[in-house]
Amino acid sequence: MKIYFTKINGNSMGMYALLAVLAIIAAAGMYATYAMFSQGHYITGMNNQIPWGLPIVVAIYCIGLSAGSLVLSALSAVFGQKEFKPFARIAVFVAALLLVGSLLSIVLDWGRPDRVMLPFLYLNPRSIFSWNGFLYSSYIFICIVYLWAMFTGRDAWIKPMGILAVVWAVGVHSGTGAIFGFINARELYHSPLASPTFVTAALSSGTALMILILVSTFKATGRFLDNRLIIGLAKLLGPFILVVLYFVIVEYVVRLYTPSTYEPTSFVLFGGNVYTYIFWVGLILLGSIIPCIILFNPLTKNSIPWIIFASLLVVIGVFCERLIFVLPGQVFPLNLFPDMEMSSDFMDGVITWYQVSVAEIAQGLGILSIVAILYIIGLKLFALLPSEARHLEHEL
Amino acid sequence: MKRRDFLKLGGILAAAGAVPAASSLLHAGGTDVTNGSIRYGMVIDLTKCDGCGECASACRTANNAATFPDEKINNHLLRIAHVKPKFPNSLEQAIPLMCMHCDNAPCVHVCPVKASFVRKDGIVLIDKHRCIGCRYCMIACPYKARSFVFKHNEGFTNPNIPKTMHGVVEKCDFCVNRVDHGQMPVCVETCKMKAMSFGNLNDKDSQVSRLIASGRVHRVREDLHLGAKVYYLGL
């Protein structure tokens, strides 16, 4: 079956209106970023107890979505799922864009973004960040070469590039998990499971996001999208969610069982605070249980609206997982004197809440808007989208 | 010897002469920090410390630490922690906490630009002109020794020390400028109880070495195997 990829027309009023709205949000985000540097980072919710806030959550979330959507493109090229070939180009393109978004979020979170080239000049082989700087930049490059091979019809390149891209995506997201997993100082970070959890969460959130992007893009451009393709993706999504849930359960049970980590873990799970709700309602109920019921229930698993609803929940649920990963490890005080009571005038021994600020939210939304603008421009400039996405069986 | 060869030889000899001249710049104030004979450390006698906090305020003034009324962004290079066991009526102990100048410093391991480094004499320093302000070191440090400068620091209490700009991380550096000029860190000099001592851990006759040799010293979070060089007597 020959698949024809074409550019979108992109002349409708709706599209210009959408672009205008996105541009306003992006401008607000850039203004918030400017304010952080002209007035100081105290306008964010971050402080000396909580040095990493929402920007880091957004960054690692985007990396996850990126790694997940790339694997989707590899389904046809590497894993022999030929029916997903119509999505090969768009998935790689989205993967590259989301990585650009996450890099923006990381760099604009720094105190000195003007020194952006220094990590490349002074590599520190013991630093996970240094490794990630190398992995992320080479990952964008691999995505571009992969796209180029598909656009120019170099079929011999596509499979090797696909394999390389999948290996790199796993490396990129293992590296992102390792940022936290390698930190011995914080009980809620230090974990060998951090990297595998991040990779599986990437698969589930990336697949869910691609379902949402595909359905909305095909609908907005009036192109035909075979329901069986979306149902096929949803069949992958269900098991991904279960694997993430399994890793999360293992991690938290081990931490609850260990006396030295019991206190911070029970603070998250049973503390009755905002993180308790994010964990149980956001991650477990909305992000895992309800989507699983939808995706494994014979009544709903073949219904497109239900699949879209489940995908939306998964995208939100994995964001909650990221919040739970980054924030409580800092909110719960460091344990300098184990099993003793500690206090000082530097927030020692007390819980310091992270109050997210308008500036950070604006910056995060602004970066997501920039990604969306680039996505629309990309569709208009390049033949990324198939003129129609039919299941292979139509051929027979 | 031709004239050209003579000029070449002269150039080589001149360059050879310039090398020792340049390396002498590293011998700041007469102490050679490059040959590994010095390993600085500190011993704090908690049985003498009464928690008055004068070391902390002297440190703040001497090092131009970023000082703001908002406690959440007010930087502490040295702070007094109050610690007591979880027993009823147990006595509270005052413990001055600062950068522990670990040999295996996690902040140095995680720094993506090698802005944090352990100098040959064991002092952990930050190159503030290289720091990108990513704050990974603040995540990695188990002692919360590091603070981010969250906005422009107005205070400039000690004109001899550059103050840290907005957007990078600062911490205790054992008053490296004073140490390099043969002085003691300002906290050691300020302490009226003479509870703090600072010196060369490699010199077995130094006061710090003798206190450590007494076998009654401990370090904070020794379980993390970081090789901290701030020891506490009576912890």
Side-chain angles (χ1 to χ4, degrees), chain B residues 22-174:
Chain B
S23 71
S24 70
L25 289 174
L26 292 169
H27 302 198
T31 27
D32 185 355
V33 299
T34 55
N35 65 7
S37 66
I38 295 176
R39 208 167 140 263
Y40 285 120
M42 189 180 273
V43 178
I44 301 175
D45 189 343
L46 295 176
T47 57
K48 289 183 186 167
C49 176
D50 64 354
C52 67
E54 272 170 33
C55 51
S57 49
C59 169
R60 178 176 295 280
T61 320
N63 290 300
N64 295 323
T67 305
F68 303 110
D70 181 358
E71 268 305 314
K72 283 183 173 177
I73 60 168
N74 193 24
N75 291 357
H76 293 249
L77 310 188
L78 167 59
R79 66 191 192 272
I80 308 287
H82 301 279
V83 179
K84 62 176 186 177
K86 288 178 179 168
F87 289 116
N89 304 326
S90 58
L91 282 178
E92 196 174 72
Q93 196 173 28
I95 304 178
L97 290 172
M98 63 192 90
C99 173
M100 304 289 169
H101 296 273
C102 314
D103 286 334
N104 298 318
C107 54
V108 174
H109 296 165
V110 301
C111 181
V113 292
K114 289 184 178 169
S116 289
F117 59 97
V118 188
R119 204 167 74 162
K120 278 270 164 48
D121 57 1
I123 302 181
V124 178
L125 292 176
I126 306 172
D127 182 344
K128 290 165 186 172
H129 297 278
R130 194 188 279 189
C131 173
I132 56 175
C134 70
R135 310 186 290 285
Y136 198 10
C137 50
M138 296 172 69
I139 293 285
C141 176
Y143 302 111
K144 216 167 86 174
R146 290 172 163 248
S147 308
F148 185 68
V149 181
F150 276 88
K151 68 181 200 182
H152 179 65
N153 179 12
E154 304 286 350
F156 201 36
T157 41
N158 181 2
N160 296 323
I161 304 285
K163 65 176 177 178
T164 309
M165 68 202 95
H166 163 224
V168 300
V169 170
E170 64 177 351
K171 72 169 191 67
C172 156
D173 56 6
F174 269 166

Side-chain angles (χ1 to χ4, degrees), chain A residues 5-42:
Chain A
F5 290 92
T6 53
K7 302 170 190 175
I8 60 166
N9 290 327
N11 295 324
S12 67
M13 281 306 292
M15 199 202 76
Y16 285 117
L18 180 63
L19 276 177
V21 171
L22 290 172
I24 290 167
I25 301 173
M30 290 307 100
Y31 178 74
T33 309
Y34 166 74
M36 279 183 205
F37 294 105
S38 58
Q39 297 176 40
H41 282 73
Y42 76 99

Side-chain angles (χ1 to χ4, degrees), chain A residues 183-190 258-261 263-264 329 332-340 342 348, chain B residues 46 79 83 95-98 100-106 139-145 217-232 235:
Chain A
I183 299 301
N184 200 358
R186 294 174 192 269
E187 296 96 337
L188 290 175
Y189 280 2
H190 189 233
T258 315
S260 62
T261 52
E263 229 180 316
F332 196 82
L334 277 174
N335 193 9
L336 267 72
F337 300 96
D339 222 8
M340 309 259 257
M342 182 187 182
D348 281 307
Chain B
L46 295 176
R79 66 191 192 272
V83 179
I95 304 178
L97 290 172
M98 63 192 90
M100 304 289 169
H101 296 273
C102 314
D103 286 334
N104 298 318
I139 293 285
C141 176
Y143 302 111
K144 216 167 86 174
V217 291
H218 289 286
R219 290 167 288 179
V220 181
R221 293 288 323 247
E222 280 178 323
D223 58 318
L224 295 176
H225 294 261
L226 300 178
K229 291 197 285 290
V230 175
Y231 293 78
Y232 291 89
L235 185 70

